[in-house]
Amino acid sequence: MACSSVFSPNLSAIFSSKATKLSPSNQPTNLFFFNALQPNSTKREFPIAPSVAAPFPYQQSPINVDYLEEEFSGHGVTFEDVAGTCVATMTLENGSTATLMLPRGLITSFKAPMWHGGSVELLHTVVSEGEDGGAVVQGGVSMEFSCLSDGGVLWSPCDWSLWDIRGNPQESIQVELISRDTEDMIEIKNIVNLQESCLSSELVVSNLKSSPLQLTGCVISHLTVSTPEATYAVGLEGSDFFNRSPLSSDFLIIPPDIPQENMFNISQLWSQMRLLSGTGTGSERKGDELESRSVESEEEMEGEESDNYKQLTEQMSRIYTSAPTYLTVIDRGRRNSIIAGRSGFDEVYMFSPGSSHEFYSKYSYICIGPSAMLKPIILKPGEVWRGGQHLQNPNL
């Protein structure tokens, strides 16, 4: 996947620093809106083209930027159609901005005002050309989650519908997205909240099934840095961790020295869960057991962090199980820092490509985010769970 100059300056500007394919054959390029034709619903019903039909509760609509601008004017959000993808930009009067891609729900930019009077991009994204000639966007902040029911049915929220926008450019802006499975039994809301010194993503997961639900995955945030060698994670001393291969994700930026076969897919976790729950049978369970043992023997190396001011020079991929709620990431090369906080999650995923790459290059980033990868979140029938990530800018 090579970088290409075929993309217009407008596209590069929208994604700021430059992450899943925008229009592969198995993904829609149109904006999806949730059909609010439910009893006692106060949400607006967004118009659709007469020729487009979709089963309840979703309806597919061509992007109508003018309509969105009119419908949500005054909230501090602007919309732009880029190659069939809707790009929403949230802007506060103090200079903080965030950019969101729909329907994929990828946050591609978070610019925050700094102590020196200017603003700095805190997220790292890369725009390149895919094999089909379309744009591939990687990096930013993405939601990598999967849900497993007791029947072994697996579902992941890949496309998000615009549900509502609240707030104002003077204080804060909230963009609420929603995703549901085809049976309308699992509902996940993603509330992106831009404040003067913070960008947060809150997940609200509702289990509408009559059986328990297992939620596994993590929020992956690519934080841009000058180089991992100049970057330090503060506050991890005494935290237990498991070494893992890097997470396999369409959005994750992977250095060339990490073979694809060494990537760790979230779906591998379901093999272990099916064995524990008894839903896998026969040869499937035997194969899953072998795969599970292989993963455990090769990748689950435990340890305890001994460095409270950890330099991220070496390539690493870890899940911390007892990290503090808030961690500070300091970049001495850019002379700025960011505080990564979490709520509702017990784990923290951290990945660094190492400092063997050029300064300020495609691989000048670290990944951090709350996770539930070693211990899934269990939702009882009818239960609602909340969790989220908070990226705070302490540089004002």
Side-chain angles (χ1 to χ4, degrees):
M1 183 175 66
C3 292
S4 171
S5 60
V6 300
F7 303 106
S8 67
N10 185 38
L11 181 64
S12 299
I14 288 174
F15 297 129
S16 284
S17 43
K18 290 146 285 277
T20 288
K21 299 182 181 179
L22 296 183
S23 54
S25 58
N26 62 339
Q27 297 172 359
T29 58
N30 292 328
L31 178 63
F32 278 76
F33 292 107
F34 187 73
N35 180 10
L37 296 178
Q38 301 182 55
N40 302 321
S41 174
T42 59
K43 299 299 180 181
R44 291 175 287 270
E45 177 189 355
F46 296 100
I48 63 171
S51 60
V52 179
F56 183 88
Y58 290 102
Q59 291 183 323
Q60 184 174 358
S61 169
I63 296 174
N64 189 333
V65 172
D66 293 336
Y67 170 78
L68 293 178
E69 290 281 2
E70 179 180 356
E71 180 70 17
F72 296 109
S73 62
H75 293 289
V77 182
T78 59
F79 300 89
E80 186 168 356
D81 182 354
V82 180
T85 294
C86 182
V87 178
T89 302
M90 311 159 65
T91 305
L92 294 180
E93 289 184 352
N94 79 321
S96 294
T97 65
T99 301
L100 178 67
M101 286 174 53
L102 298 172
R104 298 314 305 276
L106 178 68
I107 301 175
T108 61
S109 174
F110 174 31
K111 289 184 178 179
M114 293 290 159
W115 53 270
H116 48 65
S119 61
V120 171
E121 176 61 64
L122 299 180
L123 299 183
H124 189 77
T125 53
V126 175
V127 178
S128 56
E129 184 179 5
E131 296 179 358
D132 60 355
V136 176
V137 186
Q138 294 174 300
V141 180
S142 61
M143 301 289 166
E144 307 292 340
F145 289 93
S146 293
C147 300
L148 183 70
S149 65
D150 61 351
V153 179
L154 184 65
W155 173 77
S156 297
C158 297
D159 293 304
W160 298 85
S161 308
L162 178 59
W163 179 245
D164 197 12
I165 296 180
R166 300 179 294 272
N168 57 72
Q170 291 78 35
E171 299 175 354
S172 66
I173 304 170
Q174 300 86 42
V175 175
E176 186 172 343
L177 309 177
I178 190 170
S179 184
R180 281 188 171 182
D181 68 329
T182 55
E183 298 178 350
D184 300 334
M185 300 304 292
I186 305 173
E187 177 186 278
I188 300 182
K189 290 183 179 180
N190 178 14
I191 304 173
V192 181
N193 187 7
L194 177 65
Q195 299 174 308
E196 289 188 349
S197 60
C198 180
L199 177 68
S200 63
S201 298
E202 181 187 13
L203 288 178
V204 182
V205 183
S206 300
N207 179 18
L208 307 179
K209 291 178 174 290
S210 58
S211 57
L213 183 71
Q214 300 183 43
L215 177 71
T216 297
C218 66
V219 181
I220 299 182
S221 294
H222 291 69
L223 305 181
T224 187
V225 298
S226 55
T227 173
E229 188 175 32
T231 306
Y232 299 80
V234 182
L236 287 171
E237 184 178 13
S239 300
D240 297 324
F241 65 81
F242 286 81
N243 285 319
R244 286 278 194 179
S245 294
L247 179 66
S248 177
S249 164
D250 289 335
F251 295 114
L252 188 61
I253 304 173
I254 303 299
D257 56 347
I258 300 181
Q260 288 296 317
E261 57 267 23
N262 290 344
M263 302 297 293
F264 184 79
N265 197 301
I266 289 180
S267 63
Q268 291 177 317
L269 295 176
W270 302 119
S271 299
Q272 303 172 39
M273 294 179 190
R274 288 198 301 272
L275 287 170
L276 294 175
S277 63
T279 56
T281 58
S283 60
E284 178 188 5
R285 295 184 61 184
K286 293 180 181 179
D288 289 343
E289 185 175 1
L290 292 175
E291 182 182 26
S292 173
R293 291 176 179 174
S294 175
V295 171
E296 291 175 357
S297 62
E298 294 180 5
E299 302 178 60
E300 288 195 352
M301 297 165 44
E302 296 184 57
E304 180 180 319
E305 188 60 66
S306 59
D307 195 349
N308 193 54
Y309 197 72
K310 183 175 181 58
Q311 189 176 23
L312 302 180
T313 303
E314 301 297 328
Q315 186 180 102
M316 62 169 286
S317 180
R318 289 179 176 176
I319 301 174
Y320 287 89
T321 57
S322 55
T325 302
Y326 291 92
L327 294 172
T328 300
V329 178
I330 298 176
D331 180 6
R332 299 177 63 180
R334 287 162 52 100
R335 301 178 63 192
N336 73 284
S337 59
I338 189 169
I339 299 175
R342 73 184 191 277
S343 60
F345 292 92
D346 296 329
E347 308 165 1
V348 174
Y349 175 69
M350 184 173 292
F351 170 74
S352 173
S355 60
S356 60
H357 310 285
E358 297 180 6
F359 284 17
Y360 304 101
S361 71
K362 175 180 179 180
Y363 306 107
S364 294
Y365 68 89
I366 65 164
C367 287
I368 189 171
S371 77
M373 294 171 62
L374 300 179
K375 182 181 179 180
I377 296 168
I378 307 298
L379 282 78
K380 298 178 182 178
E383 188 174 6
V384 177
W385 174 86
R386 293 175 179 268
Q389 173 186 254
H390 317 282
L391 299 178
Q392 297 183 3
N393 167 32
N395 304 288
L396 290 175

